Amino acid sequence: MEKHMWKPYLIWIVFTEAVGGLSGWLTRDGTKAYMATVEQPPLSPPGIVFPIVWAVLFALMGFGAARIYSAQASRARTHGLLLFLVQLAFNFFWSIIFFNLQNFGFALIWLIILWLLILWMIFSFRKVDPLAAWLQIPYLLWVTFAAYLNFGVWILN
């Protein structure tokens, strides 16, 4: 094993967490307004759950991306990393659409596109590194749950 093999992991995890952190910071006022005024569907977890879960998911995402980045250069590797960045951008902007703009219908459409991008990314990752793909399954499941919550909020509000 190379001496500095850990560096790509650190870089990708920190980068991914930073994107999530920036999104959280930019939506902090919108999130407060949302929690105070919006009717939430059944099974909505307490607000404290979200930053904890997202921190874990962003770490898994970054770890998976680092595995893909560390793989031998190929078209599949490049495609996987591109999909990773595109879905990460969609993830970033969903929070702004949902919390700051409170456009719940458009946010649901955006989230469905994000879900499809994550699934595509998983299949793309699997071609390069199956473990990297498996690491994204909790993310896909959480976004599935988020879609239920988003739909419920849209219907109730």
Side-chain angles (χ1 to χ4, degrees):
M1 180 178 264
E2 289 185 31
K3 185 177 181 181
H4 301 289
M5 190 65 182
W6 58 270
K7 283 185 180 180
Y9 289 88
L10 179 65
I11 291 167
W12 280 97
I13 291 169
V14 168
F15 167 69
T16 307
E17 292 283 356
V19 169
L22 179 60
S23 178
W25 184 76
L26 291 174
T27 59
R28 65 193 183 284
D29 293 336
T31 301
K32 287 177 190 172
Y34 166 84
M35 296 301 278
T37 62
V38 173
E39 187 174 348
Q40 298 178 32
L43 305 178
S44 294
I48 189 65
V49 170
F50 293 96
I52 295 167
V53 170
W54 277 114
V56 171
L57 293 175
F58 282 124
L60 290 173
M61 290 164 54
F63 192 85
R67 288 186 64 86
I68 299 301
Y69 175 82
S70 298
Q72 183 176 356
S74 68
R75 180 177 290 199
R77 173 183 168 247
T78 301
H79 187 252
L81 290 174
L82 179 62
L83 279 170
F84 176 83
L85 295 172
V86 170
Q87 69 77 30
L88 189 61
F90 264 76
N91 181 307
F92 177 86
F93 285 110
W94 177 85
S95 297
I96 293 168
I97 295 165
F98 187 84
F99 291 110
N100 288 3
L101 302 178
Q102 294 197 0
N103 190 336
F104 305 129
F106 183 63
L108 180 59
I109 293 167
W110 192 269
L111 195 61
I112 291 167
I113 295 168
L114 172 60
W115 190 92
L116 292 169
L117 286 167
I118 296 165
L119 187 62
W120 191 9
M121 178 185 68
I122 289 169
F123 285 122
S124 181
F125 274 20
R126 193 177 79 185
K127 293 176 185 175
V128 178
D129 184 322
L131 178 57
W134 280 108
L135 290 170
Q136 307 314 304
I137 298 298
Y139 177 35
L140 184 68
L141 294 173
W142 185 255
V143 170
T144 302
F145 180 60
Y148 155 76
L149 294 174
N150 191 153
F151 178 76
V153 167
W154 180 49
I155 294 299
L156 293 170
N157 297 277

